[in-house]
Amino acid sequence: MKVGTVKEIKKNENRVGLTPSNVKDYVANGHEVFVQAGAGLGSYLTDEEYVAAGATILPTAADVWGTADMIVKVKEPLADEYDLMREGQIIYTYLHLAADRPLTEALMAKKTKAVAYETIYDKNGGLPLLKPMSEVAGKLSVQAGARALEKIMGGRGVLLGGVPGVSKGKVVIIGGGVVGTSAMKIALGMGADVTILDRSFDRLTYLDDIYASQGLKTLYSTAYNIEESIKDADLVIGAVLIPGAAAPKLVKREHLKML
């Protein structure tokens, strides 16, 4: 098979679909790999590293799309890439089609074989390809939220960990899955006052057993509990996943006025 990867064109996306390590594995198994020139620079991976691993460097994204039987990406194709897709070609990437009708229709029109990372389950019902990205998202959410709370960034000047004599920042996390748990760990580690809401009693019991000693509070997720929790929150993190569907809008505009 001819496998290709291209430079991501989504704003602020610096990841790349294949690393030189991936290339070496594909080549070792008899495949050809084609990489757009400069595709890995955002991740500090040079063309020379790809060549050393066995890849062929092509000058443009169109060259790679036109050559490869399978395109491996990080993010979904954008409108500028729709015309590059072709019938029978495999596209392997995060797609999140529930929230993207134009891409769904483009894939159908092109008769492209699209495989979405976020829909691949393991034998235990888990989402092994989505999990690491969810962990990144959860951890970054607290980091970004803490930054946004700084006065210089237009926030209220709240320090999540507080200092002696000053209240800790209050973090409310809606959803106790991979994203929510990752966010919770960072927020607790920073010394924040953390409340997590979920609709699974088993999940809440687990989180309470492990993290209550670190100050975690757990609540069953209802509209009332969400509203009451965020009234005095400094940072609210939405971390709910419904596989194959768009994320529910549990925090509404009128809720944000309470913050």
Side-chain angles (χ1 to χ4, degrees):
M1 179 179 281
K2 294 179 179 179
V3 181
T5 195
V6 295
K7 184 176 179 62
E8 298 293 327
I9 62 173
K10 193 164 189 175
K11 187 176 181 181
N12 295 324
E13 181 53 73
N14 292 302
R15 293 171 293 181
V16 63
L18 294 174
T19 66
S21 175
N22 302 143
V23 170
K24 196 161 189 174
D25 285 341
Y26 274 117
V27 172
N29 283 279
H31 305 292
E32 295 180 79
V33 181
F34 299 87
V35 177
Q36 180 187 352
L41 293 179
S43 295
Y44 302 101
L45 299 170
T46 66
D47 290 349
E48 290 75 16
E49 290 177 274
Y50 282 105
V51 170
T56 298
I57 303 297
L58 297 180
T60 69
D63 292 326
V64 178
W65 281 92
T67 301
D69 303 310
M70 179 171 74
I71 296 290
V72 182
K73 294 179 87 278
V74 178
K75 297 302 293 181
E76 70 283 355
L78 300 185
D80 289 345
E81 297 172 301
Y82 291 176
D83 287 340
L84 299 175
M85 302 184 298
R86 66 178 192 272
E87 183 175 348
Q89 189 175 49
I90 300 169
I91 299 178
Y92 197 41
T93 188
Y94 290 105
L95 287 170
H96 301 291
L97 294 179
D100 197 339
R101 187 181 183 90
L103 174 57
T104 304
E105 293 176 342
L107 290 169
M108 294 172 65
K110 290 287 186 176
K111 298 182 180 179
T112 301
K113 299 176 181 178
V115 182
Y117 296 142
E118 73 276 4
T119 62
I120 295 175
Y121 289 83
D122 61 24
K123 63 182 180 181
N124 298 315
L127 299 165
L129 301 186
L130 184 61
K131 183 177 179 181
M133 295 302 100
S134 297
E135 290 175 343
V136 171
K139 292 180 178 181
L140 275 177
S141 67
V142 181
Q143 183 174 313
R147 180 65 171 150
L149 285 169
E150 295 178 10
K151 197 73 174 178
I152 195 172
M153 299 299 293
R156 294 186 292 184
V158 175
L159 183 65
L160 288 183
V163 292
V166 178
S167 297
K168 300 177 179 181
K170 295 184 177 180
V171 178
V172 171
I173 303 168
I174 305 173
V178 176
V179 174
T181 300
S182 297
M184 175 207 68
K185 290 177 181 178
I186 298 301
L188 287 174
M190 294 176 72
D193 181 341
V194 184
T195 299
I196 195 164
L197 298 96
D198 200 274
R199 295 179 66 179
S200 167
F201 281 116
D202 288 341
R203 188 62 183 170
L204 292 176
T205 298
Y206 168 79
L207 294 173
D208 187 77
D209 286 345
I210 304 299
Y211 298 102
S213 61
Q214 298 179 38
L216 177 68
K217 302 181 186 70
T218 59
L219 276 176
Y220 186 75
S221 184
T222 64
Y224 176 83
N225 281 342
I226 290 174
E227 185 172 315
E228 289 299 303
S229 297
I230 67 177
K231 280 182 178 178
D232 59 351
D234 298 299
L235 174 61
V236 178
I237 297 170
V240 176
L241 169 70
I242 300 177
K249 296 180 179 179
L250 299 175
V251 178
K252 298 179 174 57
R253 187 175 298 274
E254 56 267 28
H255 292 149
L256 298 179
K257 295 178 182 178
M258 302 176 185
L259 299 177

